[in-house]
Each structure stands twice: as C-alpha cells, then as structure tokens.
Amino acid sequence: MRTVMGPTNHVIVVGAGLGGLSCALHLAGAGREVTVIERSGNPGGQVGVLELDGHRFDTGPTMITAPDLLAEPLAAVGEHLHDWIDLIRLDPAYRAHFPDGTTLDVHADTDKMVSAIAKLCGGKEAAGYLRFLRWARRLQQFERRDPAGHWRTLATEGARRRLTDFFADPRTQRLFSFRNLFTGRDHQAASYLDTVTEVWYPRGGMNTVPRALAAAAEKHGVNFRYHTHVTSVETRAGRAVAVHTADGERLTADTVVLNPDLPTAYSLLPGMPPARLRRLTPSPSCVVLHLGTRDDRGGYQRIAHHNLHFGRSWRQTFDEVVNRGELMSDPSILVTNPSRTDPTAAPAGRQTYQVVAPVPNLRTAPVRWDGPIGRRYAGELMATLEARGYLDLGADLALSYVVTPDDWARLGMAHGTPFASAHTLRQTGPMRPGNLHPTLSNVVFTGSGTRPGVGVPMVLVSGRAAARRVVGARA
C-alpha cells in the first residue's frame, strides 16, 4: 500500500463529514497532531440536521447499518460507542409497499426474513433469499476491509451478479435493487446494503453521530476550526505545504486530508483534475420533502420507520432517471417517519416525515429546479403519497421544506447529487478513485467519492483508509 511520503506530524483535515471525522480519530489515536477545518458551524457534512418549528429532520442518511464500523474510530482513541451514542434497533428495517397492495417487512433476523418471503412469495423465493444472503455477507466482509487488495472478488462477484440469479418474483427484485436507483447501477444488479444487516437509529437524530465523533476527537486533542472556509491548498515541489482560508489565513501542515466531494476537493488544488475524474459518471440525484404534520392519530398506521413505496414501472423508472434524464412517471419513493421511533423528532401531537424521490442529476438533466419545476414536482409527490395511502396528508400539513438538485449543488456536490459518482462496474469499490493523490505525495482524500463508496459504513471505512495512507497499516 502506498503511503504519504515525508513528515506527517501535523495533519490538516478539510471538512468535518463522517469521513473526515473518522480519519481524524484514527490519526489522533496514532499520535498525530490534527486540525479539522469546517466551513459550517457544526460537524457532520451531509449527515446534517434541519430544525423547523419543533420538527427535527435528518438532511442526509437516516440510519446506521454497521455499528461496529462506527465504533472503530472511537476505539482508536480508547472510547466506547455506547458511551457516546444511544442506538435504537429498528425492526423491521424497512417496510416495502408494492403496487399490488401487498407489503413485505425486511428483517435482519434470517428466520424471520425467510418466513416473511415464503409467506408472500413462496418457498422457492425464500430459498433464493438464503443464497443471496450467503453471497451478500461474503461481499460485505470484503468491503469492510480496505478493498484494494480484494478487487478481483469485488469486481467479479459484486458488480456482475444479477437479481435473477437469486429472485424470480418482481417484488423481491424491486426490494433488493432499490438502492441502485440512487447509485446509478443497472436495475438488475444485485444490491444488498441496508437489506441484510441490522438497522439502527441514533436517539436524537443522525446528526448526534458526527457531534459525538467530534466531541470524542476534541477530548483527545483534535483542534476544530468551524466557520472557516478553505479556498485553496498551497503546494511546492510535489507536496502540499499549507491551506489558505477565505479570511486570508495561511495554515501550514505536513499532510492534508480532503473530505469535500471529490471534484470540489480537486478544485482546491492547483492544475486540472485527472482525466479519469472528469470522465466519471455521476449518480442520480434526489428531491427531498421534509414534512411536518398535525396528526393526532399517531401517524399513518400501515407504515414503519422506513418505507419503500414501489410503482408499477421498474425498468422504465431506471431508464427515465438514469438514462433519459426524465422525472419518474410512476414514482418509487422512500418515506422515513423518525418520530414513530423517537418522539423528540416532532412536537407533541405532530409527526415528522422525510420523502426521498430519485431524480436525474444536473449533468443528465440540466434544468432549473429553483423555478416552477421544483414546486410542481413537490406537489406531484404529495399527490402520489395521498394516492398510496397517506390520506389527508395535505390537509394535515403543518410545514414543508423542499430540497432539490440545485440545493445539493450549492452545497458543493458535483452535478447536484449527494451520492457522488455512480456505482457502475468501472466505478465500484476498488475501481473508484483512490484516496491518495496521484502526484502530490502528501494529499489524501476521504468520503463517498473515493474508495470504497457511498453510504455511512463505506465512508467510515474511507476515513480509516485515509488515516492508513498517512501513518501506515497501524491506523
């Protein structure tokens, strides 16, 4: 494994997202002096929080699927996960709602899941799930390690297995490929993250996770500079020597770790980014509705914490969003209801919802979301929800806040997508851009745009991998 050349005593980490925080903790545990520079006033990056009229909304991920990977950076400084974060196990992890009116709960417990699939789809489909589970767990173990040493397995077994190798029922095929709609993979590629592991929700919302990591890092000597915008990285003789801020400061460092979205990270560096980076295919984007409702009924009773609502057109939906740059004509959407699990997410007598709808990124469909299209599409999603059982949702609405690809772009996410480059065959796992700069010997990257990829577990792994680039395999 290539590592940073030269001194690494003082490391500046640009960005306090989960990748940057994971890296900072591993570096602190290895005895490095670490400064984290964050342009906003709080840690978290995409794992943020929006608070409106007593409602609390997660602005990014809504779950934790690998607590052991979250425990790793804390353990690097001698801390224990349960002392910092209170995790609530969600069962079911998801509830899938299909267009024929049937539902299927997703359980981490194998026996419960096999029983649920057999009851809905039959014994052959349940047997297919067991084959899928064995394959998925094997791939998951490879991805938890530094994937560079296991690229053949990940490439041949991970990206090329088809849903039809395991499932014949269109309902299970939809369930185990829904994530592909966000990551730009083929609709028939087998996808397993979030569907074969236990799912957890941190009490107080997802932003409690980066806040806890940052607090633990501060306890162990990491210096945080909030409200500080890095404008460039100064280099000399093939090395980064300092970062410059919008306030005119020049902060020297032995090593620089960049946590922003990869194209944004490269924009801080001199010269053009590598040609391969410019050729990367971005993932689809999404529109998010943050909704607060006046609801004395305790929410819609047929739903769980996480809900997948599938339309009838699955292949067509992928073609519209991924290939043709069109909005879904028959939407498949994710609805999260955190106040069902954690009442502090909403005022008394109210409910908090997050509605996520995949849409084309701004490269595939360069439209102006700030205009009428954004408002019109939000209205169409509300109508879709009511048609799928969220009766009187509009009448119950107390507040709404809409996030579009334009908003993601303003936050520094290339092509207006929060999901970085697509997880196609040539952009998955070890085929994603590496986390060590190809020519600057002490510049390291972390986050979803680098190896191994998108998702909270993988971003935490990328932080660990970045720290190993700095100090060697001991991190």
Side-chain angles (χ1 to χ4, degrees):
M1 181 182 70
R2 291 176 57 219
T3 58
V4 167
M5 302 296 292
T8 61
N9 296 322
H10 178 217
V11 183
I12 287 181
V13 178
V14 179
L18 288 186
L21 293 169
S22 171
C23 182
L25 282 160
H26 283 289
L27 290 172
R32 297 311 191 265
E33 178 188 353
V34 183
T35 300
V36 178
I37 303 177
E38 168 58 43
R39 68 177 180 178
S40 73
N42 301 286
Q46 292 189 42
V47 189
V49 61
L50 173 68
E51 295 182 343
L52 296 173
D53 193 24
H55 292 265
R56 186 184 66 241
F57 302 97
D58 295 322
T59 62
T62 61
M63 68 184 75
I64 298 293
T65 56
D68 57 320
L69 291 177
L70 182 57
E72 278 189 1
L74 291 167
V77 293
E79 298 292 338
H80 300 283
L81 175 63
H82 61 80
D83 292 331
W84 291 91
I85 302 169
D86 182 11
L87 294 175
I88 306 168
R89 184 170 178 267
L90 301 181
D91 188 24
Y94 288 95
R95 179 164 294 157
H97 304 255
F98 300 108
D100 63 359
T102 59
T103 62
L104 177 63
D105 284 355
V106 176
H107 304 282
D109 181 89
T110 301
D111 291 340
K112 289 175 68 174
M113 192 64 197
V114 167
S115 176
I117 292 177
K119 182 177 180 180
L120 181 67
C121 307
K124 288 185 177 180
E125 203 72 358
Y129 172 74
L130 287 173
R131 295 195 307 274
F132 170 80
L133 190 61
R134 288 192 292 271
W135 167 83
R137 286 176 172 167
R138 184 164 183 260
L139 263 291
Q140 191 175 56
Q141 289 304 311
F142 280 112
E143 286 197 340
R144 282 169 175 262
R145 308 165 192 164
D146 182 351
H150 310 286
W151 67 271
R152 291 186 187 276
T153 298
L154 287 169
T156 57
E157 294 192 29
R160 293 176 178 168
R161 293 304 294 266
R162 314 298 289 173
L163 284 170
T164 50
D165 293 342
F166 307 107
F167 303 111
D169 193 295
R171 293 170 294 188
T172 48
Q173 290 181 357
R174 281 168 165 77
L175 176 60
F176 292 107
S177 62
F178 183 82
R179 191 172 183 270
N180 297 353
L181 198 49
F182 295 101
T183 59
R185 296 183 71 195
D186 183 86
H187 76 286
Q188 276 294 314
S191 177
Y192 60 88
L193 197 66
D194 306 343
T195 52
V196 298
T197 60
E198 291 184 342
V199 169
W200 305 79
Y201 181 76
R203 194 180 306 277
M206 284 294 294
N207 190 244
T208 62
V209 172
R211 290 206 307 267
L213 296 181
E218 283 189 296
K219 176 182 174 181
H220 291 274
V222 175
N223 179 36
F224 282 81
R225 296 279 305 272
Y226 294 108
H227 298 293
T228 303
H229 182 200
V230 172
T231 55
S232 65
V233 177
E234 179 186 342
T235 63
R236 187 182 308 129
R239 291 181 61 82
V241 296
V243 301
H244 292 257
T245 73
D247 295 331
E249 286 187 281
R250 178 181 182 272
L251 305 173
T252 61
D254 295 320
T255 301
V256 175
V257 177
L258 298 175
N259 189 199
D261 192 26
L262 205 54
T264 300
Y266 267 98
S267 73
L268 301 175
L269 299 166
M272 293 289 290
R276 180 172 181 263
L277 182 68
R278 300 194 299 272
R279 293 194 299 266
L280 289 175
T281 300
S283 293
S285 184
C286 64
V287 165
V288 181
L289 308 185
H290 296 296
L291 307 177
T293 65
R294 296 177 290 266
D295 186 8
D296 294 329
R297 297 166 295 177
Y300 299 95
Q301 298 305 309
R302 293 185 66 243
I303 67 172
H305 185 114
H306 290 106
N307 304 272
L308 298 171
H309 293 272
F310 291 99
R312 295 185 181 278
S313 305
W314 193 233
R315 179 177 298 184
Q316 177 181 322
T317 294
F318 274 79
D319 192 40
E320 289 169 341
V321 173
V322 178
N323 301 322
R324 302 197 326 236
E326 299 173 358
L327 298 177
M328 294 180 289
S329 57
D330 182 20
S332 290
I333 52 182
L334 168 66
V335 178
T336 303
N337 180 200
S339 50
R340 177 176 298 271
T341 300
D342 183 359
T344 67
R350 292 191 179 189
Q351 294 286 324
T352 292
Y353 298 93
Q354 179 192 58
V355 181
V356 183
V359 300
N361 60 58
L362 295 178
R363 178 194 282 182
T364 307
V367 301
R368 289 286 304 274
W369 281 92
D370 287 344
I373 186 174
R375 296 191 298 275
R376 183 170 65 248
Y377 193 57
E380 290 175 5
L381 289 176
M382 289 290 292
T384 298
L385 289 167
E386 294 226 17
R388 296 187 184 175
Y390 293 78
L391 303 178
D392 299 321
L393 179 63
D396 290 338
L397 202 62
L399 63 90
S400 67
Y401 186 93
V402 182
V403 180
T404 73
D406 283 348
D407 297 305
W408 300 122
R410 278 190 287 268
L411 291 172
M413 299 173 194
H415 310 296
T417 172
F419 307 115
S421 55
H423 274 254
T424 58
L425 175 60
R426 296 183 182 275
Q427 297 180 181
T428 294
M431 276 71 77
R432 290 178 85 75
N435 54 12
L436 187 60
H437 193 281
T439 60
L440 296 171
S441 62
N442 64 341
V443 172
V444 183
F445 304 101
T446 185
S448 59
T450 63
R451 299 170 185 165
V454 176
V456 171
M458 297 300 98
V459 169
L460 292 168
V461 169
S462 83
R464 182 187 67 196
R468 286 179 172 176
R469 294 290 189 182
V470 178
V471 303
R474 296 180 304 277

